[in-house]
Amino acid sequence: MGQANSGGHPSAGCETFDWDVARRMLAGLPGGGLNIAHEAADRHVADGNGHRPALLCLGRRYERRQLSYLDLADGSGRVAAFLQRLGLNKGDVVAVLLDRSAEFFLAALGTWKAGGVFCPLFSAFGPGPLKSRLELARARVLITSSGLYQRKVAAIRAALPELTHVVTVAESGESPSGCLDFAALMAAQTPQPAIATAESDPALLHFTSGTAGTPKGAIHSHRCVLSLLVSARQVFDLTADDVYWCTADPGWVTGSAYGIIAPLVNGCLSVVDEAEFDTRRWYGILKDEKVTVWYTTPTNIRLMMRFGAALARSYRQNSLRVAASVGEPLNREAVAWGEKALGVPFLDTWWQTETGAIAIANRAGCTHPGSMGKPLPGIETALITFEHGRLSVAEQPEAIGELALKANLPSLFLGYLGDPARTEASFADGWYLTGDQVRRDAAGCIWFVGRSDDMIKSAAHTIGPFEVECALMNHPAVAETGVVGKPDLLLREVPVAFVSVNPGFEAGESLRLELLSFARQELGSALAPREILFVESLPKTNTGKIMRRVLKAKASSEPDEDDPIGTALCPGRFDDE
Ligand code: AMP
């Protein structure tokens, strides 16, 4: 990190950077302190930009609803007011289970204004994963839709004594029994500004999967807003004049960080599409809404590539300036296809839940197809190896090691909820250890090699094998199970389960179908295994641990009989309803 550039506006290509100077781009709360919602909405109103459009929400049938920054400031102020009336205290968790909608944004911003911790949950989770996350989070309030409540939460509500209030966004008719109506609560309130929060106060709780044990709840503070403001300028060159579209699902970190916070703090207009992936719909949105900056995933890009460049070109418009990707490796063919079909190369970016914001990226005019790019200005990285338990930093070109980030990044997580041991194990000598194995070439570009653990990446979502195994073990036929990722052309990996059965059960087609449906019921389509493979017994180490590496090799050699080219499950088509 060197001297700040004179304008204090970090942008692509500027390699000198100073976080203290960047900090001045934030408004801060009028009475001191920092609050994400104030930076994302109220500061724009105070700056005279309240009339500017903030969100364009498209319904499944293309219904249009536009919200200005003033609407966001007002609506989130009302949500904050009702949360406080419901007894929410600073630091309490508000879980939000909603599809992409204006209410999702209002719930997040209102939670921050009330001093709460926003915990988004994925609507394609089944009751099992929802219950465990709501329990671990000790959520006081849940904001969801009436439909999702009835399908996924009603049956587990009694088992969640700490969840004192459920607020539902009405889909039709009255709120379900025991729930409060979101619109009625808002209408009854006077908007309130953000309460005094400090930079280091917890603001976000995202669950990310662990290889063993329960999902890990990564906590971020209000301070992450700085990295999100800056990284969106560095990578996307985002300005208040952009029309920005992030396709991420709410419930995962990208949905909060680059779906809500980064575009709003930069004052631009965000497109929010409620519908799931559909090639023509997506090309139509890019064209009709004159999107200038687009952030999506490799799986979506691969899906679009299947329909050919000619279709993309038939929708082509000249507005698109930046197209970027995150979540899994993006191969060089996909980068080049972007250029051919959309007129801009896809920029691959790297980050993870714990880092809270993009740390490594290709940037316009500085792309290295196939690599994840270079660390952003202000971010110090190292490749770490451990020999006899001692940490050493690899300096030589073409080194391979575990990617580590200097632990001074503003957006770095505060720790895992209620798990200091896991938190401590992620740090060494002032470095945060990412768990990703990477290679750094002579030009300083970072190339993804693989995970150091057994995490499964499917359609850019992370799946912990242990959570899937635990759910399967609840079926009386399952004696033991090991879950691994099987390579998939479209989704990169799909979870598959090796199962040995208990005496009295027959490992046949009918049990296979029963287990698939059982898992889908329990876990939801986002986590359920795609295949069940019966085995006599599971390979184990001397200490009795399942050798997932052996299972992974076996899964990789198994043809997918039902779906040889991997098209059955598409991102955004987690259609378990
Ligand atoms: P999550 O915390 O669920 O967002 O997952 C983060 C993980 O996704 C990272 O640690 C990587 O393993 C993977 N990942 C994210 N972006 C990329 C990328 N551009 N290339 C390769 N892997 C990526």
Side-chain angles (χ1 to χ4, degrees), residues 395-422:
E395 304 285 358
Q396 73 279 18
E398 300 302 331
I400 291 185
E402 180 172 355
L403 178 64
L405 265 59
K406 201 72 185 197
N408 61 358
L409 187 63
S411 61
L412 197 62
F413 74 135
L414 301 178
Y416 296 119
L417 183 73
D419 203 339
R422 260 181 178 180

mmCIF file of all heavy atoms in Angstrom, residues 395-422:
data_model
loop_
_atom_site.group_PDB
_atom_site.id
_atom_site.type_symbol
_atom_site.label_atom_id
_atom_site.label_comp_id
_atom_site.label_asym_id
_atom_site.label_seq_id
_atom_site.Cartn_x
_atom_site.Cartn_y
_atom_site.Cartn_z
ATOM 1 N N GLU A 395 7.555 -17.166 -2.267
ATOM 2 C CA GLU A 395 7.791 -15.930 -3.025
ATOM 3 C C GLU A 395 8.007 -16.200 -4.509
ATOM 4 O O GLU A 395 7.794 -15.339 -5.345
ATOM 5 C CB GLU A 395 9.044 -15.198 -2.497
ATOM 6 C CG GLU A 395 9.021 -14.859 -1.010
ATOM 7 C CD GLU A 395 8.108 -13.687 -0.696
ATOM 8 O OE1 GLU A 395 7.521 -13.116 -1.633
ATOM 9 O OE2 GLU A 395 7.956 -13.367 0.501
ATOM 10 N N GLN A 396 8.479 -17.396 -4.850
ATOM 11 C CA GLN A 396 8.948 -17.638 -6.215
ATOM 12 C C GLN A 396 7.808 -17.686 -7.230
ATOM 13 O O GLN A 396 6.673 -18.043 -6.872
ATOM 14 C CB GLN A 396 9.775 -18.942 -6.290
ATOM 15 C CG GLN A 396 8.977 -20.230 -6.187
ATOM 16 C CD GLN A 396 8.620 -20.616 -4.753
ATOM 17 O OE1 GLN A 396 8.649 -19.810 -3.831
ATOM 18 N NE2 GLN A 396 8.246 -21.867 -4.577
ATOM 19 N N PRO A 397 8.091 -17.294 -8.493
ATOM 20 C CA PRO A 397 7.064 -17.392 -9.532
ATOM 21 C C PRO A 397 6.601 -18.843 -9.684
ATOM 22 O O PRO A 397 7.374 -19.770 -9.441
ATOM 23 C CB PRO A 397 7.768 -16.919 -10.806
ATOM 24 C CG PRO A 397 9.085 -16.401 -10.403
ATOM 25 C CD PRO A 397 9.378 -16.802 -9.011
ATOM 26 N N GLU A 398 5.387 -19.016 -10.081
ATOM 27 C CA GLU A 398 4.770 -20.333 -10.285
ATOM 28 C C GLU A 398 4.606 -21.114 -8.983
ATOM 29 O O GLU A 398 4.387 -22.322 -8.995
ATOM 30 C CB GLU A 398 5.544 -21.186 -11.307
ATOM 31 C CG GLU A 398 5.649 -20.557 -12.693
ATOM 32 C CD GLU A 398 4.281 -20.247 -13.324
ATOM 33 O OE1 GLU A 398 3.316 -20.941 -13.012
ATOM 34 O OE2 GLU A 398 4.201 -19.272 -14.110
ATOM 35 N N ALA A 399 4.717 -20.392 -7.857
ATOM 36 C CA ALA A 399 4.531 -21.080 -6.566
ATOM 37 C C ALA A 399 3.079 -21.516 -6.432
ATOM 38 O O ALA A 399 2.171 -20.871 -6.950
ATOM 39 C CB ALA A 399 4.878 -20.127 -5.431
ATOM 40 N N ILE A 400 2.882 -22.630 -5.724
ATOM 41 C CA ILE A 400 1.527 -23.080 -5.387
ATOM 42 C C ILE A 400 1.418 -23.103 -3.866
ATOM 43 O O ILE A 400 2.341 -23.538 -3.181
ATOM 44 C CB ILE A 400 1.248 -24.475 -5.974
ATOM 45 C CG1 ILE A 400 1.166 -24.383 -7.498
ATOM 46 C CG2 ILE A 400 -0.053 -25.056 -5.410
ATOM 47 C CD1 ILE A 400 0.790 -25.649 -8.201
ATOM 48 N N GLY A 401 0.334 -22.605 -3.342
ATOM 49 C CA GLY A 401 0.166 -22.618 -1.892
ATOM 50 C C GLY A 401 -1.244 -22.216 -1.544
ATOM 51 O O GLY A 401 -2.073 -21.960 -2.422
ATOM 52 N N GLU A 402 -1.492 -22.152 -0.227
ATOM 53 C CA GLU A 402 -2.831 -21.722 0.198
ATOM 54 C C GLU A 402 -2.905 -20.199 0.147
ATOM 55 O O GLU A 402 -2.020 -19.504 0.656
ATOM 56 C CB GLU A 402 -3.116 -22.210 1.620
ATOM 57 C CG GLU A 402 -4.503 -21.775 2.085
ATOM 58 C CD GLU A 402 -4.916 -22.393 3.419
ATOM 59 O OE1 GLU A 402 -4.184 -23.239 3.962
ATOM 60 O OE2 GLU A 402 -6.002 -22.000 3.915
ATOM 61 N N LEU A 403 -3.937 -19.701 -0.479
ATOM 62 C CA LEU A 403 -4.121 -18.260 -0.584
ATOM 63 C C LEU A 403 -4.423 -17.681 0.794
ATOM 64 O O LEU A 403 -5.308 -18.166 1.503
ATOM 65 C CB LEU A 403 -5.277 -17.968 -1.543
ATOM 66 C CG LEU A 403 -5.647 -16.509 -1.740
ATOM 67 C CD1 LEU A 403 -4.506 -15.728 -2.391
ATOM 68 C CD2 LEU A 403 -6.896 -16.409 -2.614
ATOM 69 N N ALA A 404 -3.653 -16.646 1.166
ATOM 70 C CA ALA A 404 -3.882 -15.980 2.450
ATOM 71 C C ALA A 404 -4.007 -14.480 2.210
ATOM 72 O O ALA A 404 -3.400 -13.939 1.285
ATOM 73 C CB ALA A 404 -2.726 -16.268 3.395
ATOM 74 N N LEU A 405 -4.817 -13.835 3.041
ATOM 75 C CA LEU A 405 -5.024 -12.388 2.932
ATOM 76 C C LEU A 405 -4.602 -11.729 4.234
ATOM 77 O O LEU A 405 -4.926 -12.253 5.316
ATOM 78 C CB LEU A 405 -6.516 -12.090 2.711
ATOM 79 C CG LEU A 405 -7.023 -11.902 1.293
ATOM 80 C CD1 LEU A 405 -6.753 -13.131 0.450
ATOM 81 C CD2 LEU A 405 -8.525 -11.647 1.324
ATOM 82 N N LYS A 406 -3.876 -10.612 4.119
ATOM 83 C CA LYS A 406 -3.501 -9.860 5.322
ATOM 84 C C LYS A 406 -4.785 -9.523 6.081
ATOM 85 O O LYS A 406 -5.764 -9.058 5.477
ATOM 86 C CB LYS A 406 -2.774 -8.595 4.895
ATOM 87 C CG LYS A 406 -1.922 -7.977 5.933
ATOM 88 C CD LYS A 406 -0.719 -8.718 6.226
ATOM 89 C CE LYS A 406 0.240 -8.414 7.248
ATOM 90 N NZ LYS A 406 1.491 -9.103 7.026
ATOM 91 N N ALA A 407 -4.767 -9.744 7.382
ATOM 92 C CA ALA A 407 -6.015 -9.654 8.151
ATOM 93 C C ALA A 407 -6.446 -8.223 8.453
ATOM 94 O O ALA A 407 -7.224 -8.002 9.377
ATOM 95 C CB ALA A 407 -5.880 -10.467 9.430
ATOM 96 N N ASN A 408 -5.965 -7.249 7.654
ATOM 97 C CA ASN A 408 -6.383 -5.856 7.913
ATOM 98 C C ASN A 408 -7.461 -5.378 6.947
ATOM 99 O O ASN A 408 -7.782 -4.205 6.887
ATOM 100 C CB ASN A 408 -5.173 -4.916 7.810
ATOM 101 C CG ASN A 408 -4.555 -4.952 6.419
ATOM 102 O OD1 ASN A 408 -5.018 -5.700 5.551
ATOM 103 N ND2 ASN A 408 -3.524 -4.172 6.194
ATOM 104 N N LEU A 409 -8.011 -6.296 6.175
ATOM 105 C CA LEU A 409 -9.026 -5.937 5.181
ATOM 106 C C LEU A 409 -10.311 -5.460 5.897
ATOM 107 O O LEU A 409 -10.836 -6.178 6.738
ATOM 108 C CB LEU A 409 -9.298 -7.217 4.389
ATOM 109 C CG LEU A 409 -10.194 -7.157 3.178
ATOM 110 C CD1 LEU A 409 -9.563 -6.265 2.132
ATOM 111 C CD2 LEU A 409 -10.388 -8.566 2.637
ATOM 112 N N PRO A 410 -10.849 -4.268 5.549
ATOM 113 C CA PRO A 410 -12.033 -3.786 6.276
ATOM 114 C C PRO A 410 -13.214 -4.752 6.244
ATOM 115 O O PRO A 410 -13.994 -4.816 7.192
ATOM 116 C CB PRO A 410 -12.395 -2.481 5.554
ATOM 117 C CG PRO A 410 -11.165 -2.051 4.883
ATOM 118 C CD PRO A 410 -10.377 -3.293 4.566
ATOM 119 N N SER A 411 -13.350 -5.488 5.134
ATOM 120 C CA SER A 411 -14.525 -6.352 5.017
ATOM 121 C C SER A 411 -14.312 -7.746 5.591
ATOM 122 O O SER A 411 -15.216 -8.581 5.520
ATOM 123 C CB SER A 411 -14.920 -6.487 3.551
ATOM 124 O OG SER A 411 -13.852 -7.064 2.835
ATOM 125 N N LEU A 412 -13.132 -8.020 6.143
ATOM 126 C CA LEU A 412 -12.898 -9.385 6.645
ATOM 127 C C LEU A 412 -13.857 -9.698 7.796
ATOM 128 O O LEU A 412 -14.160 -8.826 8.611
ATOM 129 C CB LEU A 412 -11.447 -9.516 7.111
ATOM 130 C CG LEU A 412 -10.936 -10.939 7.278
ATOM 131 C CD1 LEU A 412 -10.953 -11.694 5.944
ATOM 132 C CD2 LEU A 412 -9.510 -10.939 7.835
ATOM 133 N N PHE A 413 -14.341 -10.932 7.847
ATOM 134 C CA PHE A 413 -15.314 -11.305 8.878
ATOM 135 C C PHE A 413 -14.731 -11.127 10.283
ATOM 136 O O PHE A 413 -13.524 -11.183 10.474
ATOM 137 C CB PHE A 413 -15.833 -12.712 8.637
ATOM 138 C CG PHE A 413 -14.873 -13.847 8.978
ATOM 139 C CD1 PHE A 413 -15.308 -14.961 9.687
ATOM 140 C CD2 PHE A 413 -13.553 -13.827 8.560
ATOM 141 C CE1 PHE A 413 -14.457 -16.018 9.995
ATOM 142 C CE2 PHE A 413 -12.682 -14.869 8.864
ATOM 143 C CZ PHE A 413 -13.154 -15.962 9.590
ATOM 144 N N LEU A 414 -15.649 -10.912 11.243
ATOM 145 C CA LEU A 414 -15.205 -10.747 12.633
ATOM 146 C C LEU A 414 -14.902 -12.100 13.252
ATOM 147 O O LEU A 414 -14.129 -12.200 14.185
ATOM 148 C CB LEU A 414 -16.300 -10.063 13.464
ATOM 149 C CG LEU A 414 -16.770 -8.673 13.019
ATOM 150 C CD1 LEU A 414 -17.881 -8.179 13.933
ATOM 151 C CD2 LEU A 414 -15.624 -7.687 13.005
ATOM 152 N N GLY A 415 -15.568 -13.128 12.751
ATOM 153 C CA GLY A 415 -15.363 -14.468 13.289
ATOM 154 C C GLY A 415 -16.588 -15.311 12.986
ATOM 155 O O GLY A 415 -17.560 -14.820 12.410
ATOM 156 N N TYR A 416 -16.505 -16.602 13.364
ATOM 157 C CA TYR A 416 -17.664 -17.489 13.205
ATOM 158 C C TYR A 416 -18.501 -17.431 14.473
ATOM 159 O O TYR A 416 -17.954 -17.507 15.584
ATOM 160 C CB TYR A 416 -17.216 -18.919 12.942
ATOM 161 C CG TYR A 416 -16.466 -19.103 11.642
ATOM 162 C CD1 TYR A 416 -15.143 -19.557 11.642
ATOM 163 C CD2 TYR A 416 -17.066 -18.815 10.423
ATOM 164 C CE1 TYR A 416 -14.443 -19.720 10.456
ATOM 165 C CE2 TYR A 416 -16.377 -18.970 9.232
ATOM 166 C CZ TYR A 416 -15.061 -19.423 9.258
ATOM 167 O OH TYR A 416 -14.377 -19.574 8.080
ATOM 168 N N LEU A 417 -19.799 -17.302 14.287
ATOM 169 C CA LEU A 417 -20.729 -17.175 15.404
ATOM 170 C C LEU A 417 -20.550 -18.313 16.418
ATOM 171 O O LEU A 417 -20.674 -19.485 16.047
ATOM 172 C CB LEU A 417 -22.160 -17.193 14.853
ATOM 173 C CG LEU A 417 -23.281 -17.012 15.839
ATOM 174 C CD1 LEU A 417 -23.332 -15.572 16.308
ATOM 175 C CD2 LEU A 417 -24.605 -17.402 15.188
ATOM 176 N N GLY A 418 -20.245 -17.954 17.645
ATOM 177 C CA GLY A 418 -20.170 -18.937 18.731
ATOM 178 C C GLY A 418 -19.121 -20.010 18.527
ATOM 179 O O GLY A 418 -19.238 -21.088 19.118
ATOM 180 N N ASP A 419 -18.108 -19.761 17.719
ATOM 181 C CA ASP A 419 -17.114 -20.797 17.456
ATOM 182 C C ASP A 419 -15.696 -20.213 17.388
ATOM 183 O O ASP A 419 -15.070 -20.154 16.324
ATOM 184 C CB ASP A 419 -17.466 -21.508 16.139
ATOM 185 C CG ASP A 419 -16.867 -22.908 16.082
ATOM 186 O OD1 ASP A 419 -15.898 -23.153 16.834
ATOM 187 O OD2 ASP A 419 -17.358 -23.731 15.296
ATOM 188 N N PRO A 420 -15.187 -19.772 18.551
ATOM 189 C CA PRO A 420 -13.861 -19.148 18.544
ATOM 190 C C PRO A 420 -12.751 -20.083 18.045
ATOM 191 O O PRO A 420 -11.787 -19.624 17.425
ATOM 192 C CB PRO A 420 -13.633 -18.754 20.010
ATOM 193 C CG PRO A 420 -14.707 -19.413 20.795
ATOM 194 C CD PRO A 420 -15.813 -19.786 19.872
ATOM 195 N N ALA A 421 -12.921 -21.391 18.271
ATOM 196 C CA ALA A 421 -11.857 -22.310 17.846
ATOM 197 C C ALA A 421 -11.743 -22.344 16.316
ATOM 198 O O ALA A 421 -10.648 -22.286 15.756
ATOM 199 C CB ALA A 421 -12.143 -23.713 18.383
ATOM 200 N N ARG A 422 -12.917 -22.395 15.653
ATOM 201 C CA ARG A 422 -12.900 -22.390 14.195
ATOM 202 C C ARG A 422 -12.356 -21.056 13.675
ATOM 203 O O ARG A 422 -11.643 -21.008 12.689
ATOM 204 C CB ARG A 422 -14.312 -22.567 13.652
ATOM 205 C CG ARG A 422 -14.633 -23.976 13.216
ATOM 206 C CD ARG A 422 -16.060 -23.959 12.687
ATOM 207 N NE ARG A 422 -16.465 -25.248 12.189
ATOM 208 C CZ ARG A 422 -17.665 -25.497 11.682
ATOM 209 N NH1 ARG A 422 -18.562 -24.546 11.606
ATOM 210 N NH2 ARG A 422 -17.971 -26.690 11.236
#
